[in-house]
């Protein structure tokens, strides 16, 4: 992802001198490339192998699709998927068969036609939102609307430290990683070993492994573990069936005035979680977020037909009325001007319903001894 930044030290002589290893090309041809190789060798020889940890992990923002690039396949508004571009590979869906060689070297956003039909797809640059819509659902995910509210209400900022329990499909992990980049850290925990291993592989391929790491651990029974020191986390996100069992563990890891959030589909889960916060947290609030879209376009406003009451009389009177009405309608058609286009606004026909209840709370700051007296 483009938000990944190099995990370079923020203080010390190495940071002040801006020393770092720069990825060298496989084939050295120019003077600049020779200087890169020589500088890297000199740094390792002078400062030791620990310099290898300072290699720049930044993914340059390039519009060109290269081998192993994460590409979002746009087939329709309701059909998004992803591939890692691989030479000589083939991707197929109901729109047709698409060869990776047809879009490697092209710009993101390119329209790729199928070789065997009239279908086509668009190759999009990956973002957190597109990733959430295209990833493989190993579990129910936290959608972008809820992601934005969680990041905002946890008061996350660059270089913050956040804990996540319930990695699942990794959608929320990527959103948290973008919020705390470039030098922050997301410690994610998943009790299912297969899902934890798969998440780490995706973090590595997507270029966020230096920000986000997933650990196989049951937080409810074992706590968050030693990865994050006690009292250093800025926020904790709980996506668990029983979040109230992790409240005490979150309290240990949070720093003073740190925030905690619980993502719970059922109101009974929310009630028990709120009860577990009593005494140790304040400013407790629970919200539900729903997105209501409106369609705004330009079109022709059709006039409503007004039906006048028709009173029957004698046959002769009725005939005259009918003739007069036909004459008036004919005159109106001849004098009628072309319809004018107007801006129309209306609610969308579909709306996403309930996803979850989001409960937020702030950890109490311990009082000093002088204040207690």
């Amino acid at each position: 992802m483009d938000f990944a930044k190099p995990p370079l030290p923020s203080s010390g002589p190495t940071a002040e001198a801006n020393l770092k290893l720069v990825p060298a090309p496989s084939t050295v041809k120019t003077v600049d490339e020779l200087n890169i190789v020589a500088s890297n060798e000199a740094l390792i020889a002078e400062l030791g192998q620990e310099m290898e940890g300072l290699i720049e992990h930044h993914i340059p923002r390039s519009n060109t699709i290269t081998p192993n690039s994460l590409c979002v396949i746009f087939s329709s508004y309701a059909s998004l998927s992803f591939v890692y571009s691989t030479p000589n590979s083939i991707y197929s869906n109901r729109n047709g068969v698409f060869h990776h060689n047809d879009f490697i070297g092209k710009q993101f956003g390119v329209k790729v036609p199928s070789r065997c039909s009239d279908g086509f797809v668009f190759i999009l640059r990956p973002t957190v939102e597109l990733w959430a819509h295209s990833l493989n659902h190993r579990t129910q995910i936290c959608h972008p609307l809820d992601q934005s509210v969680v990041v905002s209400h946890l008061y996350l900022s660059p270089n913050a430290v956040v804990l996540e329990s319930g990695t699942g499909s990794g959608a929320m992990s990527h959103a948290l990683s973008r919020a705390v980049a470039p030098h922050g850290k997301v410690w994610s925990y998943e009790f299912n070993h297969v899902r934890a291993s798969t998440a780490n592989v995706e973090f590595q391929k997507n270029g966020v492994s230096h920000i986000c790491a997933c650990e196989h651990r049951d937080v409810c029974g074992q706590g968050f573990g030693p990865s994050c020191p006690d009292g250093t986390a800025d926020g904790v996100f709980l996506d668990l069936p029983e979040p109230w069992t992790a409240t005490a563990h979150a309290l240990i890891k949070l720093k003073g005035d740190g925030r905690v959030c619980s993502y719970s589909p059922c109101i009974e889960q929310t009630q028990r979680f709120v009860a577990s916060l009593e005494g140790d947290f304040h400013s407790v609030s629970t919200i539900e977020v729903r997105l209501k879209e409106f369609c705004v376009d330009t079109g022709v406003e059709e006039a409503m037909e007004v039906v006048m009451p028709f009173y029957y009389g004698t046959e002769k009177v009725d005939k005259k009325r009918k003739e007069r009405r036909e004459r008036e309608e004919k005159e109106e058609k001849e004098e009628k001007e072309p319809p004018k286009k107007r801006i129309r606004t209306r609610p969308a026909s579909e709306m996403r319903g309930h996803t979850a209840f989001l409960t937020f709370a702030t950890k109490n700051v311990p009082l000093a001894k002088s204040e207690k007296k």
Side-chain angles (χ1 to χ4, degrees):
M1 302 273 180
D2 287 334
F3 58 80
K5 296 294 182 181
L8 302 180
S10 57
S11 61
T14 303
E16 295 175 1
N18 197 25
L19 297 178
K20 61 186 177 183
L21 296 180
V22 180
S26 56
T27 304
V28 179
K29 296 181 180 180
T30 64
V31 176
D32 290 337
E33 293 172 348
L34 286 172
N35 289 334
I36 291 175
V37 174
S39 299
N40 289 343
E41 293 176 352
L43 281 173
I44 295 176
E46 183 69 23
L47 300 178
Q49 293 296 325
E50 62 270 12
M51 279 300 299
E52 294 183 0
L54 301 181
I55 188 168
E56 187 173 6
H57 287 273
H58 173 56
I59 301 176
R61 185 175 178 84
S62 173
N63 288 326
T64 304
I65 302 172
T66 59
N68 300 321
S69 294
L70 172 60
C71 303
V72 176
I73 308 296
F74 178 92
S75 302
S76 65
Y77 286 104
S79 178
L80 291 175
S81 57
F82 73 94
V83 295
Y84 294 98
S85 56
T86 307
N88 303 323
S89 295
I90 297 176
Y91 170 80
S92 60
N93 61 8
R94 63 181 181 181
N95 290 9
V97 176
F98 307 93
H99 292 248
H100 290 207
N101 292 343
D102 293 343
F103 55 82
I104 292 179
K106 303 291 182 62
Q107 302 290 308
F108 279 107
V110 64
K111 179 180 178 181
V112 181
S114 172
R115 291 190 181 184
C116 63
S117 65
D118 296 332
F120 59 88
V121 295
F122 290 93
I123 311 298
L124 305 182
R125 178 196 301 280
T127 63
V128 171
E129 291 75 21
L130 290 177
W131 176 250
H133 287 296
S134 61
L135 56 77
N136 298 321
H137 285 214
R138 299 181 288 274
T139 60
Q140 183 68 26
I141 69 168
C142 183
H143 292 277
L145 178 62
D146 291 326
Q147 290 175 5
S148 61
V149 175
V150 170
V151 170
S152 173
H153 284 64
L154 283 182
Y155 308 153
L156 297 182
S157 59
N159 308 330
V161 177
V162 60
L163 305 180
E164 176 192 20
S165 181
T167 309
S169 303
M172 191 64 200
S173 304
H174 284 77
L176 296 174
S177 298
R178 181 175 62 180
V180 303
H183 301 296
K185 192 66 179 180
V186 177
W187 298 103
S188 187
Y189 301 87
E190 172 63 46
F191 80 96
N192 184 284
H193 178 70
V194 176
R195 289 201 291 262
S197 301
T198 305
N200 279 322
V201 171
E202 289 181 346
F203 296 157
Q204 182 68 35
K205 288 184 175 181
N206 295 349
V208 298
S209 58
H210 59 285
I211 299 176
C212 184
C214 182
E215 182 178 338
H216 175 224
R217 191 179 185 88
D218 181 10
V219 170
C220 297
Q222 302 173 343
F224 286 97
S227 301
C228 177
D230 297 348
T232 59
D234 297 281
V236 173
F237 176 72
L238 302 175
D239 186 1
L240 301 169
E242 299 179 353
W244 56 90
T245 60
T247 303
H249 303 304
L251 183 68
I252 295 173
K253 294 297 181 180
L254 282 171
K255 60 174 61 174
D257 73 3
R259 299 274 286 174
V260 64
C261 170
S262 171
Y263 180 93
S264 301
C266 301
I267 192 62
E268 292 81 7
Q269 294 172 300
T270 301
Q271 291 173 339
R272 296 193 63 175
F273 177 71
V274 170
S276 68
L277 299 175
E278 187 176 357
D280 298 316
F281 292 85
H282 65 88
S283 303
V284 181
S285 64
T286 299
I287 61 176
E288 179 190 25
V289 186
R290 297 198 183 189
L291 179 65
K292 185 175 183 180
E293 295 185 0
F294 280 79
C295 300
V296 181
D297 57 6
T298 303
V300 179
E301 291 285 351
E302 297 182 359
M304 296 180 60
E305 182 180 357
V306 181
V307 180
M308 300 297 293
F310 188 84
Y311 300 98
Y312 291 91
T314 62
E315 183 177 349
K316 185 176 181 180
V317 173
D318 293 341
K319 183 178 181 180
K320 287 184 178 180
R321 287 179 177 175
K322 183 178 180 181
E323 291 175 353
R324 185 177 61 186
R325 179 177 297 177
E326 292 176 351
R327 185 172 61 253
E328 291 176 352
E329 290 178 353
K330 184 178 180 180
E331 292 175 355
E332 287 180 359
K333 289 181 180 179
E334 293 176 353
E335 298 177 358
K336 192 174 182 180
E337 298 180 357
K340 296 182 180 180
K341 292 186 176 181
R342 297 181 180 180
I343 298 178
R344 305 178 300 183
T345 305
R346 63 191 184 281
S349 57
E350 295 183 358
M351 174 181 171
R352 184 181 293 276
H354 169 75
T355 55
F357 296 103
L358 301 176
T359 301
F360 300 92
T362 304
K363 178 182 176 180
N364 291 334
V365 178
L367 296 177
K369 293 182 179 181
S370 58
E371 295 175 327
K372 291 181 180 179
K373 294 179 180 179

